[in-house]
Amino acid sequence: MPTDVDVLVIGGGISGLATAFGLQRRDARVEVLDAGTRAGGVIGTVHRDGALYETGPNSALDTTPLINELLDQLGIRDERADASAVAATRFIARGGKLIALPMSPGAFLTTPAFTLGAKLRLLREPFVAPAPPDAEESIAAFVRRRLGTELSGVYAGDPEQISVPAAFPRLHALEQKHGSLIKGQIKGARERRQSAEKAKNTAGSFSFRGGMQTLTDALARAVG
């Protein structure tokens, strides 16, 4: 085990690598430990027979100016590839048909993507009491409690095992500060404008010409 370091970072995925990179830029001596054979965690890009495919996430959301700041520091901003504007419309399959996901309150009320029960359940969300501040709740339990069973998302892991405070700190903070996700989104809009940040539902997505592993490889090289 290294003894001449200030910080040991356990896990060489995107979070561990970015943490180590930030600490090093603050002149800390950092060592990153990971059980895998390469850095990057679940992020991985494979090039095979002229094709590129991702073994993990295939894009990221451009929610903050800090992203481009990081890419500039790593020297890979010119590798960034922004998604086409048509990708802003997302679809789900329901009843054998593709249905565009609603992106506004009005569209949500009229969409066939959700049942009437799910829509009424969401309207109740501002009145659902927040969990105790020190509660260790899974994202699955959190969503069921606040939004019901019909709404879900995509995450690289078991939602029954992923901690809301650990993996979704902003979601946890919204509930604790405002008592409601909907109230928090509305009241947080001013804060995002002041910090030049964007909400996830309005932020564009991006990747890299060589795949998402471009980012973790660059971080791993910088960290050493």
Side-chain angles (χ1 to χ4, degrees):
M1 293 289 289
T3 58
D4 59 343
V5 298
D6 299 311
V7 181
L8 274 175
V9 176
I10 310 300
I14 181 64
S15 297
L17 292 172
T19 298
F21 179 70
L23 288 168
Q24 283 189 343
R25 289 181 63 84
R26 292 164 175 80
D27 298 322
R29 295 169 298 173
V30 183
E31 185 86 6
V32 181
L33 304 181
D34 192 272
T37 57
R38 64 166 182 83
V42 298
I43 293 178
T45 303
V46 177
H47 300 263
R48 182 180 297 168
D49 300 329
L52 177 155
Y53 68 88
E54 305 284 5
T55 62
N58 61 15
S59 60
L61 290 174
D62 191 7
T63 56
T64 169
L66 295 175
I67 292 175
N68 278 336
E69 183 179 317
L70 174 64
L71 301 186
D72 286 335
Q73 292 166 352
L74 295 170
I76 58 170
R77 187 169 179 181
D78 59 345
E79 295 295 313
R80 173 175 161 157
D82 292 322
S84 168
V86 298
T89 303
R90 305 300 177 91
F91 295 84
I92 62 170
R94 181 156 194 165
K97 298 179 180 180
L98 283 178
I99 301 174
L101 285 176
M103 302 303 288
S104 68
F108 176 80
L109 293 174
T110 58
T111 180
F114 304 107
T115 65
L116 177 61
K119 295 173 184 177
L120 293 175
R121 181 66 180 78
L122 187 62
L123 293 176
R124 277 188 55 217
E125 193 276 336
F127 307 100
V128 176
D134 57 349
E136 187 71 22
E137 189 175 27
S138 73
I139 185 62
F142 180 89
V143 171
R144 283 194 296 265
R145 179 172 59 82
R146 298 215 64 89
L147 305 173
T149 59
E150 198 170 326
L151 301 180
S152 65
V154 177
Y155 203 80
D158 182 354
E160 299 287 355
Q161 300 295 322
I162 298 173
S163 163
V164 171
F168 298 90
R170 288 193 176 185
L171 206 61
H172 180 258
L174 275 181
E175 182 185 48
Q176 293 302 313
K177 182 177 180 180
H178 302 287
S180 161
L181 302 183
I182 293 176
K183 290 178 183 176
Q185 282 292 102
I186 295 172
K187 294 180 179 179
R190 178 180 297 178
E191 296 176 6
R192 287 193 297 272
R193 285 194 297 269
Q194 291 174 345
S195 63
E197 292 191 351
K198 298 178 182 178
K200 288 185 176 181
N201 64 316
T202 60
S205 60
F206 70 95
S207 182
F208 300 89
R209 286 196 288 271
M212 286 299 295
Q213 194 175 325
T214 300
L215 175 57
T216 48
D217 283 352
L219 280 167
R221 288 193 301 270
V223 170

